[in-house]
Amino acid sequence: MNSSQYHIPYNKPHLTGKEVHYMQDAVLSGQLSGNGKYTKLCQNLFQERFGFGKCLLTTSCTDALEMAAILLEIKEGDEVIVPSYTFVSSANAFVLRGAKIVFVDSREDCPNLNEDLLENLITSKTKAVVVVHYAGVACNMSKIRSLADQYGLFVVEDAAQAIDSYYLDNSQPPKALGAIGDLAAFSFHETKNLTSGEGGMLVINNPKFIERAEIIWEKGTNRSAFFRNEVDKYEWVDIGSSFLPSEVTAAFLYAQLEAIHQIQEKRHHIWNTYFDKLIDWATANKIQLPTIPKYATNNAHLFYLVVNGLDQREKIIAHLRNQGILAIFHYISLHKSPFYREIHGDRELPQSDRFTNSLIRLPLFYDLTDKELGYIIGHVSSISL
Ligand SMILES: *Cc1c(COP(=O)(O)O)cnc(C)c1O
């Protein structure tokens, strides 16, 4: 228990108001299974708004990553390069197909993978690089793409956190994250900017994967082609699973997608307020605030502090908890996980470990009020360190 009247959670899922309306429409329409009206509305809107290749809604980002691993025909003996500072699914999806994961360290200025370390990790067995746009901030995609092309590797974007964020290359118009890799995976889990509770999406930018992706999505059958009258019966033609969400989930997501502008505006307001009000305190205490490289934009997914070690982090988290504010740390290096540490070997990934021990996320959700925001900022900046 805390002594304050405030109880500010780390996250609270936001409702735009239209969710139940669209869900009711889906229910009354009589089609509740997947790939109906709302699934198509969402997929088309994502494709048009962000310039994505073919979009397929999935039941989670984890599922979308598993589809990616199947599509790339990952098998025993293949190597996949993945940052260590990420969610388990970025690696697990490929382990399920038999891959050996080769973990890469983070950059110093942000948790994204350090592109300068990639080339040394590439072997004749490397099949793909998985990039994670941490906090919705782009990895250095020009460098990564050109290395991938040079060595014949596929690029998979784990864009779980990266909706409505862009990669900036002076020679080209801004490119939405998720539109760059051969494949990309998004999450609509309730902690993400857009949500359907649980949900995700696979984006297929490399056209050679589109036909097979639809089959894998529909349990290994050519059901999608059947519904387009391209074949006269549908059959088992490949491996696959049940990756598509029901229309009820898609209807919920559609309401969120329609309100994306409003959601993003509010999240940017909160993010910018944190940054502007905490920068002096952070500088004075040698605490790092999120860095947005020149080639990246910010989608206000996370606001985090990188403090000076585990003790300082515990002190800050405890201080905030006593004031009714839930601030939380994030990933634990996957190369040190009970599941993977023996397979990983003894390569040190010091930046990943630094973020493991020193990163704190502050509450950031649509319904956070200015009063609550001021309260959090006041308590963060008055901690004596
Ligand atoms: C949230 C997240 C996932 C998992 O998303 P689910 O939709 O819950 O499967 C994967 N990778 C990253 C980087 C995430 O942030």
Side-chain angles (χ1 to χ4, degrees):
M1 278 312 294
N2 66 77
S3 52
S4 94
Q5 83 235 51
Y6 280 91
H7 295 279
I8 306 176
Y10 167 69
N11 178 60
K12 204 191 271 178
H14 167 62
L15 293 178
T16 68
K18 286 292 219 31
E19 286 82 357
V20 174
H21 172 74
Y22 289 137
M23 284 162 81
Q24 180 173 338
D25 181 51
V27 170
L28 295 179
S29 81
Q31 190 195 336
L32 292 178
S33 59
N35 201 10
K37 168 180 155 187
Y38 284 101
T39 299
K40 292 186 175 104
L41 279 171
C42 289
Q43 290 175 174
N44 290 338
L45 208 66
F46 278 118
Q47 285 164 198
E48 282 158 25
R49 187 178 173 114
F50 296 108
F52 294 152
K54 173 82 184 167
C55 291
L56 294 175
L57 294 191
T58 58
T59 55
S60 65
C61 178
T62 301
D63 260 4
L65 290 163
E66 287 177 26
M67 281 185 73
I70 295 173
L71 281 168
L72 298 185
E73 299 181 70
I74 299 295
K75 57 183 188 319
E76 201 83 38
D78 289 341
E79 293 180 0
V80 177
I81 301 176
V82 181
S84 180
Y85 193 78
T86 183
F87 190 62
V88 288
S89 299
S90 321
N92 200 26
F94 300 88
V95 173
L96 277 170
R97 313 299 319 159
K100 177 180 177 215
I101 303 299
V102 176
F103 286 112
V104 56
D105 204 4
S106 296
R107 290 161 59 109
E108 211 172 314
D109 62 348
C110 70
N112 284 345
L113 69 80
N114 183 341
E115 62 278 5
D116 294 334
L117 303 174
L118 270 184
E119 194 162 16
N120 274 336
L121 300 175
I122 297 171
T123 72
S124 58
K125 293 177 179 166
T126 311
K127 198 84 185 270
V129 180
V130 179
V131 303
V132 179
H133 305 297
Y134 185 79
V137 175
C139 294
N140 185 340
M141 294 312 290
S142 319
K143 173 108 195 241
I144 294 165
R145 192 73 254 188
S146 70
L147 273 173
D149 291 345
Q150 185 186 338
Y151 289 94
L153 313 178
F154 293 112
V155 175
V156 178
E157 296 178 78
D158 180 339
Q161 306 174 10
I163 196 70
D164 196 35
S165 201
Y166 295 82
Y167 183 75
L168 309 173
D169 176 341
N170 290 336
S171 62
Q172 288 168 24
K175 221 164 181 187
L177 302 186
I180 304 166
D182 295 278
L183 301 166
F186 283 93
S187 174
F188 307 118
H189 183 263
E190 75 170 38
T191 50
K192 309 300 202 262
N193 293 26
L194 298 186
T195 179
S196 56
E198 301 278 355
M201 179 168 73
L202 179 70
V203 179
I204 305 121
N205 297 311
N206 183 334
K208 81 171 190 185
F209 293 120
I210 292 176
E211 195 182 330
R212 192 163 179 244
E214 282 190 333
I215 290 168
I216 291 165
W217 189 56
E218 284 270 29
K219 299 109 181 159
T221 73
N222 53 359
R223 196 162 178 265
S224 296
F226 173 70
F227 281 127
R228 286 195 300 263
N229 294 319
E230 292 166 12
V231 290
D232 58 12
K233 56 185 184 307
Y234 84 83
E235 300 177 283
W236 184 15
V237 294
D238 201 336
I239 61 168
S241 192
S242 184
F243 287 117
L244 66 175
S246 90
E247 275 294 290
V248 181
T249 298
F252 192 107
L253 181 63
Y254 187 63
Q256 298 260 318
L257 185 51
E258 267 193 340
I260 188 171
H261 183 70
Q262 188 189 339
I263 291 172
Q264 288 298 84
E265 203 166 31
K266 180 69 189 285
R267 296 187 73 102
H268 278 286
H269 163 72
I270 296 168
W271 198 101
N272 291 333
T273 307
Y274 272 138
F275 193 91
D276 295 344
K277 299 272 167 69
L278 290 175
I279 186 68
D280 291 343
W281 166 82
T283 310
N285 289 286
K286 298 191 164 52
I287 283 169
Q288 191 182 332
L289 298 187
T291 307
I292 317 289
K294 283 195 307 293
Y295 52 74
T297 65
N298 173 26
N299 72 345
H301 175 57
L302 296 180
F303 192 86
Y304 63 85
L305 315 172
V306 185
V307 303
N308 301 293
L310 205 52
D311 291 348
Q312 192 177 64
R313 181 170 77 182
E314 280 173 3
K315 184 175 171 181
I316 295 173
I317 288 177
H319 174 84
L320 294 176
R321 196 187 304 118
N322 287 334
Q323 309 304 325
I325 300 163
L326 197 64
I328 57 181
F329 57 85
H330 209 177
Y331 302 126
I332 297 173
S333 290
L334 294 179
H335 73 285
K336 295 260 177 83
S337 64
F339 181 70
Y340 221 79
R341 67 183 161 225
E342 275 157 36
I343 314 168
H344 170 73
D346 56 8
R347 274 190 311 118
E348 291 289 329
L349 306 178
Q351 296 306 331
S352 177
D353 290 342
R354 185 171 65 90
F355 291 115
T356 294
N357 292 329
S358 308
L359 190 143
I360 307 177
R361 295 176 289 165
L362 299 181
L364 202 179
F365 51 88
Y366 186 93
D367 296 305
L368 191 69
T369 64
D370 280 341
K371 208 169 156 206
E372 289 170 321
L373 186 56
Y375 177 81
I376 298 166
I377 290 166
H379 280 290
V380 171
S381 56
S382 66
I383 300 172
S384 60
L385 294 168

